[in-house]
Amino acid sequence: MRMLINVPETVVDDALRGIAAAHPDLAVDVANRIVVRRDAPVAGKVGLVSGGGSGHEPLHAGFVGPGMLSAACPGEVFTSPVPDQMVRAAAAVDSGRGVLFVVKNYTGDVLNFDMAAELAGEEGIRVERVLVNDDVAVTDSLYTAGRRGTGATLFVEKIAGAAADEGATLERVAEVARKVNDSARSFGVALSACSTPAKGSPTFELPVGQLELGVGIHGEPGRERRAAMTAREIADYAVDVVLEDLRPTGPVLALVNGMGATPLLELYGFNAEVQRVLSERGVPVARTLVGNYVTSLDMAGCSVTLCQVDEEMLRWWDAPVQTAALRWGR
Amino acid sequence: MLDSAFFQRWMVAVAAAVDEEADRLTELDSAIGDADHGSNLRRGFTAVASALDKEPPTTPGAVLALSGRTLISTVGGASGPLYGTLLRRTGKALGEGAEVSVAEFAAALRSGVDAVARLGGAAAGDKTMLDALIPAAEALTSSGDVGFTAARDAAESGALATVPLQARKGRASYLGERSIGHQDPGATSAALLFRTLADVAEAAG
């Protein structure tokens, strides 16, 4: 065992207890697996609830707090949370102005959040659902269940969270969230496979010296496998793939995201290459974020997310945020 | 006729079978999914067995409806809502009767399978649990007294038949052509459901 855990069965609960101890601003219900900002519900404010499988930390619990999410529902590792969690979370954060579910496009997340929206509706909570589907890796595949949701989740939660803080209506917050998603595209690269605690060994085989271009955040395969490439070559490939799909006509937010096991030294070096490609392609970069935000356990690798922004979106991006993983402006 | 004790024995037997086969299901899932199908179903059906033990429902419909609700509340992933819907809708379709005939159960199961297809937006041949569920429900409908054995065989052939298919739904679909050559874990666990049903029916005589 080379994992810093006790037993696979308790990893999520153990992490939640650790989050509770580290972040007194968060109310952590370990038994029911919901993380709520302690001052919820905030009067007059639309609630934002997200969630998904654990293993992508700091997503989503790390993004709960003023300026971003109202609550997060962590599921088992790489497994969607259950509707009971989402309904509880919605009830905890609803101030009467409704709740937005931010859902990454995975079959399990979509099915469970759909059931939760129905159940919350029966309890008199107004719910809107926004689907994040920014990963361009698998768009060409004829029969995929649509694009996967990855790095754009951070942009959606931050920008829609700021709009909600300003007192926007549920419909408006949902509209903003959809606009951010529509303006964002991602592409991920794996240098090694990840290992789930339950399995204890890599979830897919990636021979040393090979990389998976277009990998998903659960280790799902992407477009192709190739022999090792330099950071420069990977940046050329990944940024071009994103730009080809996004075709931005204005400034972008850039997220250079680590998958969990790649050091910041490498991520910053990779970011230098990403900025070079964007500059060569004539794409102005408004803001850049580098770090581990949407991870895949111990996978080595990175992803690039670009989001075209207008002035309003940029203002919301710059607005104060105070969460475990993202904080500025306060 | 089948009573609530029969359905309760079935669910408890599924829990035992899933527990036994969890590693194999997870292994199948690690080839084309995300390596958690066995552990998720084990968590869910363990909860089902304990919910049924705590407050045993008095009708077949209620046994299945409670089982389905419990799966929805405990499994997560895609299999939670899908298996939960299968059992909940089948249970609801069985109505309030204290006993049901095999034919009534077959009809209810078909409506449960239809609900799964609607929820998941999938059809036969997509390399999902439906590839075992659909033939099993059909076999149960058309084979009268030997229904449970026929359903088991149909489900198992259906699961085996997913090997050469290319996945078109769920995470396995991201593999594209690389999903070919692997048996679908959802169809495999669905076959398990019918293997235990046949066992329980045989034990009941």
Side-chain angles (χ1 to χ4, degrees):
Chain A
M1 178 60 71
R2 49 174 197 84
M3 288 180 184
L4 187 59
I5 64 171
N6 296 313
V7 290
E9 289 73 20
T10 64
V11 283
V12 175
D13 289 353
D14 292 344
L16 285 174
R17 289 190 291 109
I19 288 172
H23 303 288
D25 292 355
L26 300 176
V28 179
D29 180 344
V30 178
N32 292 304
R33 292 201 176 163
I34 55 174
V35 178
V36 183
R37 54 184 282 187
R38 200 169 277 290
D39 56 354
V42 179
K45 185 183 142 338
V46 166
L48 266 80
V49 173
S50 192
S54 293
H56 308 300
E57 290 67 26
L59 188 80
H60 293 275
F63 300 145
V64 175
M68 221 162 159
L69 291 179
S70 313
C73 309
E76 277 296 321
V77 173
F78 288 0
T79 299
S80 165
V82 298
D84 305 33
Q85 288 169 267
M86 301 152 187
V87 174
R88 250 179 235 272
V93 306
D94 183 28
S95 69
R97 298 202 69 202
V99 175
L100 179 71
F101 284 167
V102 179
V103 186
K104 299 189 302 304
N105 190 28
Y106 297 98
T107 310
D109 290 334
V110 171
L111 295 181
N112 284 283
F113 270 104
D114 275 357
M115 291 203 148
E118 202 179 309
L119 296 170
E122 285 170 16
E123 292 189 14
I125 303 169
R126 281 202 304 139
V127 174
E128 283 266 348
R129 192 199 80 175
V130 170
L131 205 58
V132 181
N133 56 352
D134 56 309
D135 186 347
V136 301
V138 289
T139 48
D140 291 342
S141 168
L142 192 55
Y143 295 112
T144 52
R147 290 175 163 172
R148 304 175 291 219
T150 57
T153 315
L154 183 149
F155 291 141
V156 170
E157 291 173 358
K158 172 66 186 79
I159 292 171
D165 261 12
E166 279 189 1
T169 62
L170 176 58
E171 291 69 26
R172 176 74 175 127
V173 175
E175 182 193 334
V176 169
R178 288 190 187 107
K179 182 176 172 187
V180 175
N181 178 58
D182 291 346
S183 309
R185 302 285 191 279
S186 296
F187 191 82
V189 179
L191 310 175
S192 77
C194 56
S195 300
T196 59
K199 188 157 186 279
S201 56
T203 55
F204 63 103
E205 275 178 43
L206 187 55
V208 176
Q210 296 240 319
L211 44 79
E212 177 87 30
L213 295 167
V215 75
I217 56 172
H218 311 92
E220 313 97 300
R223 294 190 167 180
E224 57 176 315
R225 251 175 215 190
R226 283 206 193 166
M229 296 159 73
T230 62
R232 169 175 285 263
E233 289 164 341
I234 295 172
D236 280 324
Y237 186 106
V239 173
D240 276 341
V241 162
V242 170
L243 288 179
E244 199 174 288
D245 206 285
L246 183 60
R247 302 190 178 278
T249 54
V252 297
L253 304 175
L255 168 64
V256 169
N257 173 62
M259 292 294 194
T262 291
L264 282 171
L265 178 77
E266 295 173 28
L267 289 180
Y268 276 117
F270 181 68
N271 181 48
E273 298 298 339
V274 167
Q275 303 288 327
R276 172 192 54 80
V277 189
L278 288 169
S279 163
E280 285 171 9
R281 304 288 183 268
V283 178
V285 180
R287 303 286 184 273
T288 301
L289 193 62
V290 179
N292 294 300
Y293 293 103
V294 183
T295 59
S296 184
L297 294 170
D298 60 342
M299 185 191 286
C302 60
S303 60
V304 178
T305 304
L306 301 177
C307 177
Q308 183 173 332
V309 284
D310 57 24
E311 276 181 28
E312 189 179 47
M313 289 157 79
L314 192 56
R315 182 170 63 76
W316 281 325
W317 175 254
D318 287 338
V321 59
Q322 192 177 344
T323 69
L326 214 61
R327 63 172 65 211
W328 58 65
R330 280 169 79 106
Chain B
M1 295 296 279
L2 310 167
D3 60 8
S4 64
F6 174 84
F7 286 94
Q8 190 154 342
R9 281 200 301 280
W10 178 28
M11 288 296 109
V12 171
V14 172
V18 163
D19 187 51
E20 199 172 297
E21 300 274 341
D23 291 345
R24 182 171 153 252
L25 293 174
T26 291
E27 198 58 44
L28 289 173
D29 196 30
S30 72
I32 61 170
D34 49 6
D36 61 7
H37 191 56
S39 48
N40 286 344
L41 280 191
R42 172 153 55 192
R43 185 174 60 249
F45 276 101
T46 303
V48 166
S50 102
L52 293 174
D53 184 52
K54 213 177 286 172
E55 259 179 87
T58 53
T59 66
V63 169
L64 295 186
L66 175 61
S67 302
R69 276 204 310 282
T70 306
L71 291 178
I72 291 169
S73 299
T74 54
V75 176
S79 45
L82 291 168
Y83 271 114
T85 295
L86 173 73
L87 297 181
R88 210 167 64 93
R89 290 300 179 90
T90 302
K92 280 191 161 184
L94 283 178
E96 311 275 316
E99 292 192 324
V100 299
S101 68
V102 175
E104 284 168 334
F105 174 52
L109 182 66
R110 288 177 76 110
S111 69
V113 173
D114 287 346
V116 170
R118 275 198 306 278
L119 182 66
D126 284 346
K127 199 177 180 102
T128 71
M129 59 196 285
L130 287 169
D131 288 324
L133 291 178
I134 292 171
E138 275 170 12
L140 194 61
T141 307
S142 57
S143 33
D145 287 347
V146 293
F148 293 126
T149 324
R152 176 196 66 198
D153 295 348
E156 275 170 10
S157 320
L160 282 174
T162 62
V163 173
L165 297 176
Q166 178 171 336
R168 291 188 284 206
K169 285 286 165 184
R171 282 200 190 132
S173 65
Y174 299 135
L175 279 157
E177 288 181 5
R178 283 194 264 171
S179 66
I180 294 171
H182 298 281
Q183 184 167 324
D184 182 62
T188 308
S189 57
L192 211 55
L193 223 59
F194 289 95
R195 194 184 83 198
T196 55
L197 181 62
D199 289 347
V200 168
E202 195 186 3

